[in-house]
Amino acid sequence: MIHHTMIVAFDSPIPASELEQYLKEFEELVAASGLIETCVVRPHLRVPGDDHAPVAVADAIVQLGVSDLDALEASFAMPGVGEFIGRWQARHPYKAIWANHEPLA
């Protein structure tokens, strides 16, 4: 199993309802693709120390699980992903960083 862990940080604060909608739509996109074995999405849990983050603070974290590196590569071209990213970037610009890794535990 390979995990693709993505941290999403919107450029400006967005309402909680919008973040929930983003995560819901992302889960639906992933489920419809048939490419992903596991998908977990969660909002970031804010703490006062976040005000001192040296780079950025996440709004959400997403973790996808795939069988191997070929499946991971295919996930970057899953049907509808370009439209999803474009639509959400137009509404609420964001940045994403990720790490591809074996299970941590």
Side-chain angles (χ1 to χ4, degrees), residues 51-72:
D51 294 339
H52 308 290
V55 179
V57 175
D59 289 293
I61 189 162
V62 172
Q63 189 172 76
L64 305 179
V66 295
S67 59
D68 55 30
L69 290 173
D70 289 336
L72 177 61

Side-chain angles (χ1 to χ4, degrees), residues 1-2 8 12 18 27-28 39 41-42 45-46 66 72 92-93 95 105:
M1 168 90 42
I2 302 294
V8 178
S12 300
E18 289 282 292
E27 279 185 300
E28 290 170 352
C39 176
V41 300
R42 296 287 187 273
L45 302 174
R46 186 156 177 74
V66 295
L72 177 61
H92 299 289
K95 294 175 182 62

